[in-house]
Amino acid sequence: MGNEKCCVVQCERNLDQEYWDAQYKANVTGWDLGKIAPPIKTIIDNLKDKNCRILIPGCGNSYEAEYLIESGFTNITVLDIAPTLVQNLTEKFAGNTNIKIILCDFFTHQGVYDLIIEQTFFCALPPRMRQKYVWKMHQLLADSGKIAGVLFQKQFEVNPPFGGSKEEYIALFQKAFTIVKMELCENSIPPRANSEVVIEFKKNPDVAVNLYTFEGITCSGCMENVSDKLAQINGVMNVSISTDFSKVLIVSTEEIDLTALQFAVSYDEKYKIKKATVTN
């Protein structure tokens, strides 16, 4: 992002509704380009079905939605957690029946979409929430649905945004999604040149993707042991544990019985695994 200033409040604060609303109230939105990002424009230009169900989570000022409407798309949903922003968007798109504007937490949203556009939403979430992001994306997409957009291929000294790498993204999304495309973006804006990957992830509808809360892990070594134990369960295809050790994402051929998961980690009595909900 070069010298772009992203936040009016330091990243030690909770990145909650109050935090994000403060950015829009103060009009300190350094991530905002003032126009649609070129890679997203390219993605939209290559879409064929003007009636496909499109979601843009963490939508910001919604230049992508504007361009979609201008391009003839008819079924667009944008959502954000910041009330000030959503009020502005409601006024901006007043009377337009091709777009729905929703104020809500992405993780509580319900719906079915053919395409979810990823544009500076993933990178705004604390890394500990990435397993939950994959879980929710898989829920919201239709069986043939896709995530398309850009992710950062770099780390940042000041957060948000939070960076990452192709290797991390593959480990996180594999098996739940087919990675159709993940390559260095060729038309990023200059401050983001060589630091973005353009992605297309297609939902794998033939697997179970479940999120669990976990208690007892205290270090990366413990995390690796737990991950290995869970991965050995028949039918488990991928295991990903959050950076704070509190969430476990499991992709499997079918949902694994909770008693089998608990038994796999019962070698340490402090380990407890439970099914996660949208609120935990």
Side-chain angles (χ1 to χ4, degrees):
M1 281 191 173
N3 294 321
E4 293 169 276
K5 182 179 179 183
C6 284
C7 310
V8 69
V9 190
Q10 290 300 313
C11 63
E12 286 82 2
R13 287 195 55 179
N14 289 329
L15 301 181
D16 55 11
Q17 184 176 69
E18 181 182 357
Y19 172 89
W20 290 111
D21 203 45
Q23 313 309 306
Y24 289 100
K25 284 181 176 178
N27 197 30
V28 179
T29 53
W31 63 87
D32 190 313
L33 304 183
K35 62 181 180 180
I36 186 171
I40 303 298
K41 181 179 182 295
T42 298
I43 289 168
I44 293 171
D45 288 343
N46 285 303
L47 297 176
K48 305 300 182 185
D49 183 2
K50 301 290 186 180
N51 298 312
C52 67
R53 298 163 292 182
I54 299 174
L55 173 67
I56 307 175
C59 63
N61 282 309
S62 292
Y63 307 112
E64 299 80 15
E66 263 189 287
Y67 187 71
L68 284 164
I69 291 168
E70 291 170 2
S71 301
F73 289 85
T74 63
N75 195 345
I76 307 155
T77 300
V78 299
L79 67 83
D80 206 283
I81 200 171
T84 298
L85 168 68
V86 169
Q87 179 59 39
N88 292 342
L89 294 178
T90 301
E91 295 171 2
K92 178 179 181 178
F93 293 107
N96 195 314
T97 59
N98 296 319
I99 185 170
K100 298 175 186 175
I101 303 157
I102 301 174
L103 173 66
C104 78
D105 181 338
F106 166 74
F107 295 101
T108 66
H109 181 59
Q110 299 296 316
V112 179
Y113 299 95
D114 302 302
L115 173 67
I116 302 179
I117 293 178
E118 170 52 55
Q119 167 65 5
T120 65
F121 176 56
F122 181 89
C123 70
L125 297 170
R128 62 181 171 77
M129 298 185 72
R130 290 182 173 179
Q131 284 71 20
K132 193 173 185 179
Y133 172 100
V134 175
W135 174 62
K136 188 63 181 180
M137 284 287 194
H138 197 271
Q139 286 182 351
L140 289 172
L141 284 166
D143 282 354
S144 59
K146 297 178 181 180
I147 307 169
V150 292
L151 298 173
F152 280 116
Q153 170 75 359
K154 65 175 294 185
Q155 299 294 340
F156 296 91
E157 294 182 3
V158 178
N159 312 120
F162 299 92
S165 67
K166 290 171 67 174
E167 294 75 20
E168 177 190 350
Y169 303 145
I170 291 170
L172 181 62
F173 286 92
Q174 66 181 342
K175 304 303 181 181
F177 291 85
T178 299
I179 299 174
V180 178
K181 176 188 289 188
M182 184 164 53
E183 56 193 40
L184 191 66
C185 188
E186 296 180 351
N187 61 342
S188 300
I189 63 168
R192 299 179 186 175
N194 301 312
S195 66
E196 293 180 312
V197 288
V198 62
I199 63 164
E200 182 180 328
F201 298 159
K202 184 177 181 181
K203 176 178 175 175
N204 181 354
D206 299 321
V207 296
V209 179
N210 288 287
L211 188 72
Y212 301 88
T213 61
F214 202 96
E215 297 178 10
I217 298 177
T218 57
C219 67
S220 58
C222 299
M223 179 188 71
E224 291 176 6
N225 289 336
V226 167
S227 181
D228 288 344
K229 292 290 186 182
L230 294 173
Q232 290 171 21
I233 298 173
N234 186 41
V236 170
M237 303 169 70
N238 191 39
V239 177
S240 179
I241 299 179
S242 62
T243 56
D244 66 353
F245 311 138
S246 70
K247 297 289 188 299
V248 179
L249 180 76
I250 296 180
V251 183
S252 51
T253 52
E254 59 185 17
E255 184 171 350
I256 307 298
D257 189 86
L258 190 60
T259 56
L261 297 175
Q262 185 62 60
F263 180 77
V265 297
S266 61
Y267 63 92
D268 191 318
E269 62 181 13
K270 69 176 179 290
Y271 291 156
K272 306 295 180 185
I273 187 168
K274 298 178 181 178
K275 198 79 176 284
T277 67
V278 294
T279 58
N280 65 13

